[in-house]
Amino acid sequence: MDINERKLLILKAIIDDFISTAQPVGSRTLAKNYPLGISSATIRNEMADLEDLGLLQQPHTSAGRIPSGRGYRMYVDTLMKHSALGRNQQEKIRALLMSNMIELDDVVKQAVKLLAQITGMTAVISLPNFNLSKLENIKMVKINEQKVLLILVSDSGEFKTIPLGINSSNQQVLDMITDAMTSRLRGLTIKDITLRTIGTIKSDLSEYGGFIDYLMPILRDTFRDIDQVEVYVEGVHNVLNLPEFQEVGRAQAFFDTMESREKLCEVLDSGDGGGIAVRIGPEIGLDELADCSMIKAAYKVNNEPAGRIAVIGPMRMDYGASVAVVDYIRETLSEIFSGINL
Amino acid sequence: MDINERKLLILKAIIDDFISTAQPVGSRTLAKNYPLGISSATIRNEMADLEDLGLLQQPHTSAGRIPSGRGYRMYVDTLMKHSALGRNQQEKIRALLMSNMIELDDVVKQAVKLLAQITGMTAVISLPNFNLSKLENIKMVKINEQKVLLILVSDSGEFKTIPLGINSSNQQVLDMITDAMTSRLRGLTIKDITLRTIGTIKSDLSEYGGFIDYLMPILRDTFRDIDQVEVYVEGVHNVLNLPEFQEVGRAQAFFDTMESREKLCEVLDSGDGGGIAVRIGPEIGLDELADCSMIKAAYKVNNEPAGRIAVIGPMRMDYGASVAVVDYIRETLSEIFSGINL
DNA sequence: ATTAGCACTCGAAAATGATGAGTGCTAACA
DNA sequence: TGTTAGCACTCATCATTTTCGAGTGCTAAT
């Protein structure tokens, strides 16, 4: 038995219905609510075939059918309607994201909030890894007798501040040191900085020997420790509105997963870099999310792939709408971050 | 009918039992499990009296009794056992909080995590309001052609960084300006800074007229906008383990409340500044938390009241243990923050 | 190939009933 | 007079049964 046009039409109708009602859908309701032009009996036969093909499944004998993972996959790949985002929602997104924010972080935080709010699911976004951007400038500012603020500026205009507990020193000395560091380190990524690199700086500054000996180990440790990728999550609690999360245990497991930065990173970073990706159930690659789906995309900074943006929700999500939102936000972010030093 | 020693003993037993089982407690179990030396019938009579006194209540006719708000109040005020924290837990807390952290923020974040973890409930902590600390130093660091980092240092050694979108200028000019600002503003709190104060700075720097005209409105807006109190929340999801939050709706309402910075601030800041406070149900002063309890305390920085720390959980919480933890953490924080410029 | 008809399945919801923890009251007792 | 044993009564909880209906698969007629 092979799959034909009509079977696909029925599959689409079933999935559409299930997505909006969260109830197994039977032949009668299908015949009634969708203009398929065939009777429920015929639909029944086709549904049995679709089940044999592994695209549908039955929770129990006398229930309707629900889509299987493979069913959703086929739906997403070939059946679903790719709706574009409404004009007014586009406006809203642009307005909020383009309202004069100075820092990339702020824009990204706003974006993830928006994404969660619009989709009613959980949104996740990762920031470009600071480690991988090239250093442009290094500064140290004396805050008080015990504290110095280290400022690392990247060539894309992002910066990172790191407070250091360093005993008294004067600003001139700090400036000399950071000037030397900047000339040695400019153009390198943080990952590139090795013990040797730091050693060369020391030799430039023999006059401040003692202080340098004190400072360098601290800087070495600092550079070594800047490696966490920032991930922002929003709308975790939204899932409580969905029928599939009505058991507290289920919800709790989801929350736990969403609190694990590593798991999220793993899930975000897996797979192709390119366009927009829809991961269904086990495709996500994480047991805890085996009955969820994820839509993710990479946004760009200066036309280079930078961070990832994703929506996570039940398998039964409105793929069409969600893809549209993720795509539009990805596009808007990439546009905002294109070619400008914020 | 007045309240006597025995009634109090029974009340205490009931509350102790209810706290650990979350089940209405009846006369028989009470007689069986507690060495009260009287029969269940007598206990029944006393319980009826306690109910008349408004200290107990009955979910329905044929159930046991549960404590009322007033019952808990009496329990907390006069009956409960004030347990001290175990030696090893004390060690753990000290070790974690005193491990060389440079910033007050970091210590506080660690503290709130600990508090949530130890109590198994939700922990909230507010940071000292930066607005109210005296300015010690002001710096501006040029990040790149479009961006300047404003650094405000308080006399307690805390600082705040604020990125400003300011077009090109050179570091010398920025230094001149911040020197002037520092000498004018040192010792003031941010709240003290008015339009007039800013005006006086301008007159000091007539030579940079144009740039000042450009800069001042930005600074004015910046100062005006630094007024949010930071609040950290941890362990919101812990409540899902408690029987009183097994209905999703209930949990959701709680989560929503915990996400509202304003509500939390309101609740934290209300009432006396002094020692440790236990707020039971409606005493919290927030409808959404009317069936929760909160234990809160103020910690000190440099021996001045600074931020608040609190645990929020169901009315049926282990008050003795929770008070002990909150108290110990408050004390440890105050100690860490005493007299030292971090 | 399609569909009407029918017997059958099985979960969900409602109805029923047993259980038992709990109460209040009364009367007997120390 | 305070305490307690005894008893009738209440009522949530749980298990069992019943009913209901949406849904299925199969067969025979179109």
Side-chain angles (χ1 to χ4, degrees):
Chain A
M1 157 209 24
D2 50 346
I3 196 156
N4 55 28
E5 194 65 22
R6 192 172 71 182
K7 282 193 175 54
L8 289 179
L9 221 59
I10 291 175
L11 179 61
K12 176 171 185 314
I14 290 175
I15 299 188
D16 281 338
D17 201 78
F18 184 68
I19 284 177
S20 68
T21 66
Q23 297 296 328
V25 19
S27 57
R28 234 183 91 77
T29 44
L30 215 51
K32 204 161 37 187
N33 301 328
Y34 294 81
L36 296 168
I38 49 180
S39 78
S40 65
T42 312
I43 295 178
R44 269 202 292 288
N45 292 331
E46 298 287 43
M47 282 166 87
D49 290 353
L50 285 167
E51 185 169 357
D52 289 343
L53 290 165
L55 300 171
L56 293 179
Q57 56 197 37
Q58 238 178 336
H60 57 266
T61 332
S62 74
R65 305 298 210 292
I66 62 174
S68 70
R70 286 181 52 194
Y72 281 120
R73 170 60 41 219
M74 173 147 293
Y75 177 81
V76 167
D77 288 344
T78 68
L79 299 174
M80 80 180 182
K81 182 167 138 250
H82 284 83
S83 53
L85 215 54
R87 247 280 139 281
N88 39 1
Q89 281 211 303
Q90 291 193 6
E91 296 298 344
K92 184 183 161 196
I93 293 173
R94 289 185 84 83
L96 273 167
L97 293 187
M98 299 202 165
S99 67
N100 54 356
M101 279 177 283
I102 301 169
E103 290 303 305
L104 187 139
D105 289 33
D106 298 328
V107 180
V108 158
K109 279 181 196 166
Q110 186 70 49
V112 71
K113 267 188 193 150
L114 253 176
L115 188 53
Q117 190 213 314
I118 295 175
T119 60
M121 298 186 290
T122 302
V124 185
I125 201 164
S126 67
L127 284 189
N129 193 332
F130 194 85
N131 297 352
L132 302 176
S133 44
K134 289 187 191 134
L135 281 177
E136 173 70 23
N137 204 346
I138 298 175
K139 305 227 173 189
M140 287 198 276
V141 178
K142 179 175 172 180
I143 298 289
N144 63 21
E145 298 308 312
Q146 297 92 38
K147 204 148 64 178
V148 166
L149 187 66
L150 174 66
I151 305 174
L152 305 175
V153 184
S154 84
D155 64 344
S156 65
E158 289 308 297
F159 65 89
K160 206 178 180 90
T161 61
I162 303 154
L164 302 175
I166 293 179
N167 281 332
S168 171
S169 48
N170 77 49
Q171 184 66 51
Q172 276 76 38
V173 174
L174 292 175
D175 287 344
M176 298 291 271
I177 295 174
T178 49
D179 284 351
M181 288 176 68
T182 301
S183 64
R184 284 284 185 180
L185 303 179
R186 167 177 287 155
L188 297 179
T189 70
I190 288 185
K191 288 262 178 221
D192 291 337
I193 299 173
T194 63
L195 265 175
R196 287 241 334 268
T197 342
I198 291 190
T200 60
I201 297 167
K202 186 175 164 186
S203 62
D204 290 353
L205 294 161
S206 47
E207 36 187 330
Y208 304 110
F211 185 61
I212 293 287
D213 284 340
Y214 167 62
L215 186 61
M216 281 305 153
I218 296 176
L219 287 180
R220 193 216 320 129
D221 293 349
T222 304
F223 283 127
R224 199 193 46 210
D225 293 344
I226 311 179
D227 57 355
Q228 70 172 7
V229 180
E230 289 283 354
V231 177
Y232 298 122
V233 182
E234 277 286 334
V236 207
H237 298 153
N238 285 349
V239 302
L240 290 177
N241 294 317
L242 301 170
E244 26 273 286
F245 291 88
Q246 290 307 298
E247 294 114 316
V248 179
R250 179 79 192 73
Q252 195 165 16
F254 185 78
F255 294 157
D256 287 348
T257 310
M258 290 301 135
E259 274 182 0
S260 158
R261 169 154 295 145
E262 304 102 55
K263 285 180 187 165
L264 287 182
C265 282
E266 190 188 319
V267 151
L268 280 179
D269 288 339
S270 75
D272 54 344
I276 204 160
V278 178
R279 297 255 179 281
I280 295 165
E283 297 170 6
I284 296 181
L286 200 64
D287 285 352
E288 296 92 322
L289 297 179
D291 46 4
C292 291
S293 282
M294 176 174 73
I295 297 172
K296 71 171 184 181
Y299 63 90
K300 295 181 178 181
V301 172
N302 288 332
N303 297 315
E304 293 292 324
R308 306 292 180 99
I309 175 176
V311 178
I312 302 177
M315 276 213 220
R316 180 195 62 82
M317 67 165 73
D318 185 339
Y319 291 92
S322 306
V323 166
V325 185
V326 171
D327 198 38
Y328 189 75
I329 289 190
R330 179 195 103 246
E331 196 182 291
T332 310
L333 285 182
S334 299
E335 185 182 332
I336 293 175
F337 298 147
S338 74
I340 34 148
N341 279 14
L342 278 174
Chain B
M1 157 208 22
D2 50 345
I3 196 157
N4 56 28
E5 195 65 23
R6 193 172 69 182
K7 282 193 175 53
L8 289 179
L9 222 59
I10 291 174
L11 179 61
K12 176 170 185 315
I14 291 175
I15 299 187
D16 281 338
D17 200 80
F18 184 69
I19 283 177
S20 67
T21 66
Q23 297 297 328
V25 18
S27 56
R28 232 183 93 78
T29 44
L30 216 51
K32 204 160 39 185
N33 301 329
Y34 294 80
L36 295 168
I38 49 181
S39 80
S40 67
T42 311
I43 295 178
R44 268 202 291 286
N45 292 330
E46 298 287 42
M47 281 165 88
D49 289 354
L50 285 167
E51 187 170 354
D52 289 343
L53 289 165
L55 300 171
L56 292 180
Q57 56 197 38
Q58 239 178 335
H60 56 266
T61 333
S62 73
R65 304 298 209 293
I66 62 174
S68 69
R70 285 182 54 194
Y72 281 120
R73 170 62 37 221
M74 173 147 293
Y75 178 79
V76 167
D77 288 344
T78 69
L79 298 174
M80 79 180 183
K81 182 167 140 250
H82 284 83
S83 53
L85 215 53
R87 247 278 139 281
N88 40 0
Q89 282 212 303
Q90 291 194 5
E91 296 299 345
K92 183 183 160 199
I93 293 174
R94 289 186 85 82
L96 273 168
L97 292 187
M98 299 205 168
S99 67
N100 54 356
M101 279 177 282
I102 302 169
E103 289 305 303
L104 187 140
D105 289 33
D106 298 328
V107 180
V108 158
K109 280 181 195 165
Q110 186 69 49
V112 72
K113 267 187 193 148
L114 253 176
L115 188 54
Q117 189 213 314
I118 295 176
T119 59
M121 297 186 289
T122 302
V124 185
I125 201 163
S126 67
L127 285 188
N129 193 334
F130 194 86
N131 296 354
L132 303 176
S133 45
K134 288 187 192 135
L135 281 176
E136 173 70 22
N137 204 346
I138 298 175
K139 305 226 174 190
M140 285 198 276
V141 178
K142 180 176 172 179
I143 298 288
N144 61 21
E145 297 309 312
Q146 297 93 37
K147 205 147 66 178
V148 165
L149 187 66
L150 173 65
I151 305 174
L152 305 176
V153 184
S154 84
D155 62 344
S156 65
E158 289 307 298
F159 66 90
K160 206 178 183 88
T161 61
I162 302 154
L164 302 176
I166 292 179
N167 281 331
S168 173
S169 46
N170 77 50
Q171 185 66 53
Q172 277 76 37
V173 174
L174 291 175
D175 287 344
M176 297 292 272
I177 295 174
T178 50
D179 285 350
M181 287 176 69
T182 301
S183 65
R184 282 286 185 179
L185 303 180
R186 166 176 286 155
L188 296 180
T189 70
I190 289 186
K191 288 262 179 222
D192 291 337
I193 299 173
T194 61
L195 265 175
R196 287 241 332 269
T197 342
I198 292 189
T200 60
I201 298 166
K202 188 178 162 184
S203 62
D204 290 353
L205 295 160
S206 45
E207 34 187 332
Y208 304 110
F211 184 61
I212 293 287
D213 284 340
Y214 167 62
L215 186 61
M216 282 304 154
I218 296 176
L219 287 179
R220 194 217 320 130
D221 293 349
T222 303
F223 284 128
R224 199 194 45 210
D225 292 345
I226 311 178
D227 56 357
Q228 70 173 8
V229 181
E230 288 284 355
V231 177
Y232 298 123
V233 182
E234 278 286 334
V236 207
H237 298 153
N238 285 350
V239 302
L240 290 177
N241 294 316
L242 302 170
E244 25 275 284
F245 291 87
Q246 289 308 296
E247 293 115 316
V248 180
R250 180 79 193 73
Q252 196 165 16
F254 185 78
F255 295 156
D256 287 348
T257 310
M258 290 302 136
E259 274 182 0
S260 158
R261 169 153 295 144
E262 303 101 57
K263 284 179 187 165
L264 287 181
C265 282
E266 190 187 319
V267 150
L268 280 179
D269 288 339
S270 74
D272 52 344
I276 204 158
V278 179
R279 297 258 178 278
I280 296 165
E283 296 171 6
I284 296 180
L286 200 62
D287 285 351
E288 295 92 323
L289 297 179
D291 47 5
C292 291
S293 282
M294 175 175 74
I295 297 173
K296 70 171 184 181
Y299 63 91
K300 295 181 178 181
V301 172
N302 289 332
N303 298 315
E304 293 291 325
R308 305 293 180 99
I309 175 176
V311 178
I312 301 176
M315 276 213 219
R316 179 194 63 81
M317 68 164 72
D318 184 339
Y319 290 93
S322 306
V323 166
V325 184
V326 170
D327 198 37
Y328 189 74
I329 289 190
R330 181 196 101 245
E331 197 180 290
T332 309
L333 284 182
S334 300
E335 186 182 332
I336 293 173
F337 299 146
S338 74
I340 34 150
N341 278 14
L342 277 174

